[in-house]
Amino acid sequence: MLCFFLMIRRPTRSTQGRSSAASDVYKRQQEAFQYGYESFTGKKETEVVPDSEIEESLHENGSHAYVMVDDEDHILGGAIVILYPEAKRGLLDFIFVKVEYQGQGIGQKMWKEIETLYPEVEVWEATTPYFDVRNIHFYVNKLKFKIVEFYNTKHKESLDLADNFSENLDSRVFRFEKIMK
């Protein structure tokens, strides 16, 4: 299968509805996150990561959104990264692989593309909820990130971090870093 990694033009804030292509990406991303969450908790009616959180990430200063498609333009996955050039740091804010393509190396391919696109980034950061063993395995064993912090009720910064996560998620979160140089 041929894969193409494409930058999505960063949307502007407006009251107009988003395009059908953007809506499709949001839908695929939501399905992937919902699948991971429900694998741990069981079926839920509410979205685990509301569109508003994805929109906030997309509009963060320094954010860039990508989608990976196959040779027939089927969406395989996507990512949102936020760059902090002055600090030579980057945040892998969201990464997802469409449910039916998980476990096929798509996430690793996307990550390699991101590393190639941003060689100036010296430290990458990511976070994931404590219960998502699949994500922890992906970051630590596949992408070679290191766990550097565990936010929880005993952590002094946990209250601030909890504000950045959906109210539907437990605020116990691992923070990962990957030092590139």
Side-chain angles (χ1 to χ4, degrees):
M1 168 187 344
L2 289 173
C3 298
F4 303 95
F5 197 59
L6 310 168
M7 183 172 198
I8 302 171
R9 185 179 175 132
R10 207 170 89 171
T12 57
R13 290 192 186 268
S14 81
T15 56
Q16 298 174 335
R18 60 181 166 260
S19 70
S20 61
S23 291
D24 194 36
V25 171
Y26 275 57
K27 181 179 177 191
R28 302 298 168 229
Q29 187 169 0
Q30 286 291 3
E31 288 170 354
F33 290 138
Q34 200 73 23
Y35 175 78
Y37 183 67
E38 290 178 356
S39 295
F40 178 75
T41 64
K43 184 81 173 136
K44 296 288 180 187
E45 294 303 316
T46 58
E47 290 181 331
V48 64
V49 180
D51 282 355
S52 60
E53 291 183 30
I54 299 167
E55 286 283 345
E56 186 176 316
S57 179
L58 283 169
H59 290 96
E60 183 78 26
N61 202 19
S63 75
H64 303 273
Y66 296 90
V67 64
M68 183 166 271
V69 297
D70 65 14
D71 53 352
E72 296 178 4
D73 286 337
H74 297 118
I75 295 170
L76 306 177
I80 300 172
V81 298
I82 301 173
L83 302 177
Y84 304 98
E86 63 287 347
K88 297 185 178 183
R89 295 181 71 91
L91 172 64
L92 180 56
D93 205 19
F94 288 101
I95 187 168
F96 78 97
V97 175
K98 196 171 166 186
V99 173
E100 58 264 34
Y101 295 108
Q102 291 180 5
Q104 298 179 30
I106 301 297
Q108 288 174 276
K109 286 179 186 176
M110 285 192 294
W111 176 249
K112 288 296 176 201
E113 290 288 339
I114 290 167
E115 284 183 340
T116 301
L117 287 168
Y118 303 107
E120 70 280 6
V121 173
E122 294 178 1
V123 179
W124 283 97
E125 182 177 319
T127 57
T128 201
Y130 81 99
F131 61 78
D132 203 330
V133 174
R134 185 178 50 113
N135 282 358
I136 296 166
H137 167 74
F138 174 70
Y139 287 120
V140 172
N141 298 322
K142 298 295 183 177
L143 303 186
K144 305 302 181 195
F145 277 73
K146 304 288 185 221
I147 297 172
V148 296
E149 206 157 11
F150 177 54
Y151 295 99
N152 61 76
T153 57
K154 300 196 183 300
H155 192 289
K156 64 185 185 309
E157 295 179 16
S158 286
L159 292 177
D160 294 334
L161 183 70
D163 291 340
N164 294 328
F165 279 83
S166 168
E167 60 192 37
N168 299 325
L169 289 176
D170 187 315
S171 62
R172 292 178 285 181
V173 174
F174 284 108
R175 185 172 72 84
F176 306 89
E177 284 187 351
K178 182 174 184 179
I179 299 173
M180 304 302 291
K181 299 179 182 189

